[in-house]
PDB file of all heavy atoms in Angstrom:
ATOM      1  N   LEU Q  64      -1.754 -21.810  59.693  1.00  0.00           N
ATOM      2  CA  LEU Q  64      -1.974 -21.562  58.268  1.00  0.00           C
ATOM      3  C   LEU Q  64      -0.894 -22.207  57.416  1.00  0.00           C
ATOM      4  O   LEU Q  64      -1.014 -22.243  56.192  1.00  0.00           O
ATOM      5  CB  LEU Q  64      -2.033 -20.056  57.986  1.00  0.00           C
ATOM      6  CG  LEU Q  64      -3.245 -19.340  58.578  1.00  0.00           C
ATOM      7  CD1 LEU Q  64      -3.129 -17.837  58.353  1.00  0.00           C
ATOM      8  CD2 LEU Q  64      -4.531 -19.894  57.994  1.00  0.00           C
ATOM      9  N   ALA Q  65       0.156 -22.714  58.034  1.00  0.00           N
ATOM     10  CA  ALA Q  65       1.229 -23.411  57.323  1.00  0.00           C
ATOM     11  C   ALA Q  65       1.765 -24.518  58.219  1.00  0.00           C
ATOM     12  O   ALA Q  65       1.802 -24.367  59.442  1.00  0.00           O
ATOM     13  CB  ALA Q  65       2.346 -22.447  56.945  1.00  0.00           C
ATOM     14  N   ALA Q  66       2.171 -25.604  57.581  1.00  0.00           N
ATOM     15  CA  ALA Q  66       2.803 -26.698  58.315  1.00  0.00           C
ATOM     16  C   ALA Q  66       4.293 -26.425  58.465  1.00  0.00           C
ATOM     17  O   ALA Q  66       4.903 -26.763  59.473  1.00  0.00           O
ATOM     18  CB  ALA Q  66       2.592 -28.015  57.586  1.00  0.00           C
ATOM     19  N   CYS Q  67       4.880 -25.804  57.456  1.00  0.00           N
ATOM     20  CA  CYS Q  67       6.312 -25.526  57.436  1.00  0.00           C
ATOM     21  C   CYS Q  67       6.549 -24.304  56.563  1.00  0.00           C
ATOM     22  O   CYS Q  67       5.908 -24.149  55.516  1.00  0.00           O
ATOM     23  CB  CYS Q  67       7.068 -26.735  56.871  1.00  0.00           C
ATOM     24  SG  CYS Q  67       8.844 -26.481  56.688  1.00  0.00           S
ATOM     25  N   VAL Q  68       7.447 -23.453  56.997  1.00  0.00           N
ATOM     26  CA  VAL Q  68       7.847 -22.292  56.197  1.00  0.00           C
ATOM     27  C   VAL Q  68       9.366 -22.302  56.125  1.00  0.00           C
ATOM     28  O   VAL Q  68      10.044 -22.301  57.152  1.00  0.00           O
ATOM     29  CB  VAL Q  68       7.352 -20.967  56.824  1.00  0.00           C
ATOM     30  CG1 VAL Q  68       7.792 -19.781  55.965  1.00  0.00           C
ATOM     31  CG2 VAL Q  68       5.841 -20.984  57.001  1.00  0.00           C
ATOM     32  N   ASN Q  69       9.891 -22.358  54.913  1.00  0.00           N
ATOM     33  CA  ASN Q  69      11.335 -22.287  54.706  1.00  0.00           C
ATOM     34  C   ASN Q  69      11.717 -20.845  54.413  1.00  0.00           C
ATOM     35  O   ASN Q  69      11.215 -20.255  53.458  1.00  0.00           O
ATOM     36  CB  ASN Q  69      11.780 -23.154  53.528  1.00  0.00           C
ATOM     37  CG  ASN Q  69      11.408 -24.602  53.707  1.00  0.00           C
ATOM     38  OD1 ASN Q  69      10.585 -25.102  52.960  1.00  0.00           O
ATOM     39  ND2 ASN Q  69      11.985 -25.271  54.670  1.00  0.00           N
ATOM     40  N   VAL Q  70      12.589 -20.290  55.236  1.00  0.00           N
ATOM     41  CA  VAL Q  70      13.157 -18.964  54.999  1.00  0.00           C
ATOM     42  C   VAL Q  70      14.561 -19.236  54.470  1.00  0.00           C
ATOM     43  O   VAL Q  70      15.433 -19.682  55.210  1.00  0.00           O
ATOM     44  CB  VAL Q  70      13.182 -18.121  56.288  1.00  0.00           C
ATOM     45  CG1 VAL Q  70      13.847 -16.777  56.036  1.00  0.00           C
ATOM     46  CG2 VAL Q  70      11.755 -17.942  56.825  1.00  0.00           C
ATOM     47  N   LEU Q  71      14.737 -18.994  53.190  1.00  0.00           N
ATOM     48  CA  LEU Q  71      15.991 -19.353  52.526  1.00  0.00           C
ATOM     49  C   LEU Q  71      17.012 -18.230  52.627  1.00  0.00           C
ATOM     50  O   LEU Q  71      16.717 -17.136  53.108  1.00  0.00           O
ATOM     51  CB  LEU Q  71      15.715 -19.704  51.068  1.00  0.00           C
ATOM     52  CG  LEU Q  71      14.659 -20.797  50.832  1.00  0.00           C
ATOM     53  CD1 LEU Q  71      14.473 -21.039  49.345  1.00  0.00           C
ATOM     54  CD2 LEU Q  71      15.019 -22.080  51.538  1.00  0.00           C
ATOM     55  N   GLY Q  72      18.206 -18.512  52.108  1.00  0.00           N
ATOM     56  CA  GLY Q  72      19.269 -17.516  52.083  1.00  0.00           C
ATOM     57  C   GLY Q  72      19.007 -16.452  51.028  1.00  0.00           C
ATOM     58  O   GLY Q  72      18.159 -16.615  50.153  1.00  0.00           O
ATOM     59  N   PRO Q  73      19.740 -15.360  51.111  1.00  0.00           N
ATOM     60  CA  PRO Q  73      19.524 -14.245  50.179  1.00  0.00           C
ATOM     61  C   PRO Q  73      19.747 -14.647  48.722  1.00  0.00           C
ATOM     62  O   PRO Q  73      20.566 -15.505  48.415  1.00  0.00           O
ATOM     63  CB  PRO Q  73      20.568 -13.212  50.597  1.00  0.00           C
ATOM     64  CG  PRO Q  73      21.111 -13.650  51.901  1.00  0.00           C
ATOM     65  CD  PRO Q  73      20.825 -15.113  52.040  1.00  0.00           C
ATOM     66  N   CYS Q  74      18.983 -14.012  47.859  1.00  0.00           N
ATOM     67  CA  CYS Q  74      19.152 -14.170  46.417  1.00  0.00           C
ATOM     68  C   CYS Q  74      19.012 -12.784  45.784  1.00  0.00           C
ATOM     69  O   CYS Q  74      18.567 -11.839  46.435  1.00  0.00           O
ATOM     70  CB  CYS Q  74      18.125 -15.140  45.839  1.00  0.00           C
ATOM     71  SG  CYS Q  74      16.442 -14.505  45.788  1.00  0.00           S
ATOM     72  N   THR Q  75      19.383 -12.676  44.539  1.00  0.00           N
ATOM     73  CA  THR Q  75      19.214 -11.424  43.816  1.00  0.00           C
ATOM     74  C   THR Q  75      18.093 -11.596  42.812  1.00  0.00           C
ATOM     75  O   THR Q  75      18.114 -12.518  42.007  1.00  0.00           O
ATOM     76  CB  THR Q  75      20.512 -11.025  43.084  1.00  0.00           C
ATOM     77  OG1 THR Q  75      21.550 -10.895  44.059  1.00  0.00           O
ATOM     78  CG2 THR Q  75      20.338  -9.715  42.331  1.00  0.00           C
ATOM     79  N   SER Q  76      17.101 -10.728  42.892  1.00  0.00           N
ATOM     80  CA  SER Q  76      15.986 -10.732  41.951  1.00  0.00           C
ATOM     81  C   SER Q  76      16.197  -9.593  40.965  1.00  0.00           C
ATOM     82  O   SER Q  76      16.537  -8.474  41.356  1.00  0.00           O
ATOM     83  CB  SER Q  76      14.655 -10.542  42.683  1.00  0.00           C
ATOM     84  OG  SER Q  76      14.413 -11.620  43.553  1.00  0.00           O
ATOM     85  N   VAL Q  77      15.998  -9.885  39.686  1.00  0.00           N
ATOM     86  CA  VAL Q  77      16.073  -8.873  38.625  1.00  0.00           C
ATOM     87  C   VAL Q  77      14.695  -8.806  37.989  1.00  0.00           C
ATOM     88  O   VAL Q  77      14.132  -9.841  37.613  1.00  0.00           O
ATOM     89  CB  VAL Q  77      17.146  -9.240  37.584  1.00  0.00           C
ATOM     90  CG1 VAL Q  77      17.201  -8.187  36.482  1.00  0.00           C
ATOM     91  CG2 VAL Q  77      18.505  -9.411  38.242  1.00  0.00           C
ATOM     92  N   TYR Q  78      14.138  -7.608  37.860  1.00  0.00           N
ATOM     93  CA  TYR Q  78      12.759  -7.462  37.404  1.00  0.00           C
ATOM     94  C   TYR Q  78      12.559  -6.070  36.807  1.00  0.00           C
ATOM     95  O   TYR Q  78      13.385  -5.174  36.977  1.00  0.00           O
ATOM     96  CB  TYR Q  78      11.785  -7.691  38.573  1.00  0.00           C
ATOM     97  CG  TYR Q  78      12.097  -6.818  39.770  1.00  0.00           C
ATOM     98  CD1 TYR Q  78      11.484  -5.582  39.937  1.00  0.00           C
ATOM     99  CD2 TYR Q  78      13.039  -7.218  40.725  1.00  0.00           C
ATOM    100  CE1 TYR Q  78      11.793  -4.769  41.027  1.00  0.00           C
ATOM    101  CE2 TYR Q  78      13.341  -6.419  41.812  1.00  0.00           C
ATOM    102  CZ  TYR Q  78      12.717  -5.199  41.957  1.00  0.00           C
ATOM    103  OH  TYR Q  78      13.032  -4.394  43.021  1.00  0.00           O
ATOM    104  N   ARG Q  79      11.443  -5.923  36.109  1.00  0.00           N
ATOM    105  CA  ARG Q  79      11.076  -4.613  35.573  1.00  0.00           C
ATOM    106  C   ARG Q  79       9.989  -4.045  36.478  1.00  0.00           C
ATOM    107  O   ARG Q  79       8.998  -4.713  36.767  1.00  0.00           O
ATOM    108  CB  ARG Q  79      10.549  -4.741  34.146  1.00  0.00           C
ATOM    109  CG  ARG Q  79      10.267  -3.405  33.479  1.00  0.00           C
ATOM    110  CD  ARG Q  79       9.836  -3.564  32.024  1.00  0.00           C
ATOM    111  NE  ARG Q  79      10.789  -4.350  31.243  1.00  0.00           N
ATOM    112  CZ  ARG Q  79      11.926  -3.884  30.714  1.00  0.00           C
ATOM    113  NH1 ARG Q  79      12.254  -2.623  30.886  1.00  0.00           N
ATOM    114  NH2 ARG Q  79      12.707  -4.666  30.015  1.00  0.00           N
ATOM    115  N   TRP Q  80      10.177  -2.827  36.956  1.00  0.00           N
ATOM    116  CA  TRP Q  80       9.203  -2.171  37.817  1.00  0.00           C
ATOM    117  C   TRP Q  80       9.034  -0.740  37.367  1.00  0.00           C
ATOM    118  O   TRP Q  80      10.011   0.013  37.309  1.00  0.00           O
ATOM    119  CB  TRP Q  80       9.649  -2.238  39.282  1.00  0.00           C
ATOM    120  CG  TRP Q  80       8.706  -1.577  40.234  1.00  0.00           C
ATOM    121  CD1 TRP Q  80       8.926  -0.428  40.942  1.00  0.00           C
ATOM    122  CD2 TRP Q  80       7.387  -1.996  40.568  1.00  0.00           C
ATOM    123  NE1 TRP Q  80       7.832  -0.120  41.703  1.00  0.00           N
ATOM    124  CE2 TRP Q  80       6.857  -1.074  41.497  1.00  0.00           C
ATOM    125  CE3 TRP Q  80       6.580  -3.063  40.172  1.00  0.00           C
ATOM    126  CZ2 TRP Q  80       5.571  -1.180  42.025  1.00  0.00           C
ATOM    127  CZ3 TRP Q  80       5.311  -3.181  40.716  1.00  0.00           C
ATOM    128  CH2 TRP Q  80       4.827  -2.243  41.626  1.00  0.00           C
ATOM    129  N   GLN Q  81       7.811  -0.382  37.005  1.00  0.00           N
ATOM    130  CA  GLN Q  81       7.458   0.957  36.552  1.00  0.00           C
ATOM    131  C   GLN Q  81       8.382   1.438  35.442  1.00  0.00           C
ATOM    132  O   GLN Q  81       8.891   2.559  35.463  1.00  0.00           O
ATOM    133  CB  GLN Q  81       7.431   1.930  37.735  1.00  0.00           C
ATOM    134  CG  GLN Q  81       6.395   1.532  38.770  1.00  0.00           C
ATOM    135  CD  GLN Q  81       6.346   2.438  39.978  1.00  0.00           C
ATOM    136  OE1 GLN Q  81       7.298   3.167  40.286  1.00  0.00           O
ATOM    137  NE2 GLN Q  81       5.236   2.383  40.695  1.00  0.00           N
ATOM    138  N   GLY Q  82       8.628   0.537  34.470  1.00  0.00           N
ATOM    139  CA  GLY Q  82       9.404   0.879  33.289  1.00  0.00           C
ATOM    140  C   GLY Q  82      10.911   0.804  33.445  1.00  0.00           C
ATOM    141  O   GLY Q  82      11.644   1.023  32.485  1.00  0.00           O
ATOM    142  N   GLN Q  83      11.404   0.514  34.619  1.00  0.00           N
ATOM    143  CA  GLN Q  83      12.847   0.458  34.868  1.00  0.00           C
ATOM    144  C   GLN Q  83      13.268  -0.958  35.245  1.00  0.00           C
ATOM    145  O   GLN Q  83      12.555  -1.658  35.965  1.00  0.00           O
ATOM    146  CB  GLN Q  83      13.218   1.385  36.044  1.00  0.00           C
ATOM    147  CG  GLN Q  83      12.869   2.838  35.829  1.00  0.00           C
ATOM    148  CD  GLN Q  83      13.741   3.484  34.775  1.00  0.00           C
ATOM    149  OE1 GLN Q  83      14.916   3.153  34.629  1.00  0.00           O
ATOM    150  NE2 GLN Q  83      13.179   4.416  34.021  1.00  0.00           N
ATOM    151  N   VAL Q  84      14.437  -1.365  34.772  1.00  0.00           N
ATOM    152  CA  VAL Q  84      14.994  -2.648  35.202  1.00  0.00           C
ATOM    153  C   VAL Q  84      15.639  -2.432  36.563  1.00  0.00           C
ATOM    154  O   VAL Q  84      16.450  -1.522  36.741  1.00  0.00           O
ATOM    155  CB  VAL Q  84      16.017  -3.193  34.186  1.00  0.00           C
ATOM    156  CG1 VAL Q  84      16.682  -4.460  34.708  1.00  0.00           C
ATOM    157  CG2 VAL Q  84      15.337  -3.456  32.843  1.00  0.00           C
ATOM    158  N   GLU Q  85      15.217  -3.241  37.526  1.00  0.00           N
ATOM    159  CA  GLU Q  85      15.677  -3.119  38.903  1.00  0.00           C
ATOM    160  C   GLU Q  85      16.303  -4.439  39.342  1.00  0.00           C
ATOM    161  O   GLU Q  85      16.067  -5.479  38.742  1.00  0.00           O
ATOM    162  CB  GLU Q  85      14.485  -2.824  39.833  1.00  0.00           C
ATOM    163  CG  GLU Q  85      13.681  -1.603  39.475  1.00  0.00           C
ATOM    164  CD  GLU Q  85      14.294  -0.321  39.962  1.00  0.00           C
ATOM    165  OE1 GLU Q  85      15.180  -0.391  40.840  1.00  0.00           O
ATOM    166  OE2 GLU Q  85      13.890   0.747  39.485  1.00  0.00           O
ATOM    167  N   SER Q  86      17.049  -4.391  40.411  1.00  0.00           N
ATOM    168  CA  SER Q  86      17.517  -5.614  41.061  1.00  0.00           C
ATOM    169  C   SER Q  86      17.505  -5.358  42.563  1.00  0.00           C
ATOM    170  O   SER Q  86      17.664  -4.222  43.015  1.00  0.00           O
ATOM    171  CB  SER Q  86      18.904  -6.025  40.584  1.00  0.00           C
ATOM    172  OG  SER Q  86      19.868  -5.105  41.008  1.00  0.00           O
ATOM    173  N   ALA Q  87      17.277  -6.443  43.309  1.00  0.00           N
ATOM    174  CA  ALA Q  87      17.211  -6.315  44.766  1.00  0.00           C
ATOM    175  C   ALA Q  87      17.644  -7.628  45.402  1.00  0.00           C
ATOM    176  O   ALA Q  87      17.377  -8.701  44.855  1.00  0.00           O
ATOM    177  CB  ALA Q  87      15.791  -5.967  45.196  1.00  0.00           C
ATOM    178  N   ASP Q  88      18.304  -7.521  46.540  1.00  0.00           N
ATOM    179  CA  ASP Q  88      18.594  -8.712  47.344  1.00  0.00           C
ATOM    180  C   ASP Q  88      17.334  -9.021  48.133  1.00  0.00           C
ATOM    181  O   ASP Q  88      16.756  -8.125  48.768  1.00  0.00           O
ATOM    182  CB  ASP Q  88      19.764  -8.460  48.290  1.00  0.00           C
ATOM    183  CG  ASP Q  88      21.079  -8.319  47.533  1.00  0.00           C
ATOM    184  OD1 ASP Q  88      21.194  -8.885  46.429  1.00  0.00           O
ATOM    185  OD2 ASP Q  88      21.986  -7.653  48.054  1.00  0.00           O
ATOM    186  N   GLU Q  89      16.904 -10.279  48.060  1.00  0.00           N
ATOM    187  CA  GLU Q  89      15.662 -10.676  48.721  1.00  0.00           C
ATOM    188  C   GLU Q  89      15.841 -12.021  49.416  1.00  0.00           C
ATOM    189  O   GLU Q  89      16.775 -12.766  49.126  1.00  0.00           O
ATOM    190  CB  GLU Q  89      14.510 -10.776  47.712  1.00  0.00           C
ATOM    191  CG  GLU Q  89      14.159  -9.460  47.058  1.00  0.00           C
ATOM    192  CD  GLU Q  89      12.988  -9.576  46.119  1.00  0.00           C
ATOM    193  OE1 GLU Q  89      13.036 -10.414  45.193  1.00  0.00           O
ATOM    194  OE2 GLU Q  89      12.015  -8.827  46.326  1.00  0.00           O
TER     195      GLU Q  89
END
Side-chain angles (χ1 to χ4, degrees):
L64 293 174
C67 176
V68 180
N69 301 114
V70 177
L71 305 179
C74 71
T75 301
S76 296
V77 179
Y78 53 93
R79 185 176 306 279
W80 180 249
Q81 299 179 339
Q83 300 290 326
V84 175
E85 304 279 344
S86 68
D88 291 333
E89 296 183 304

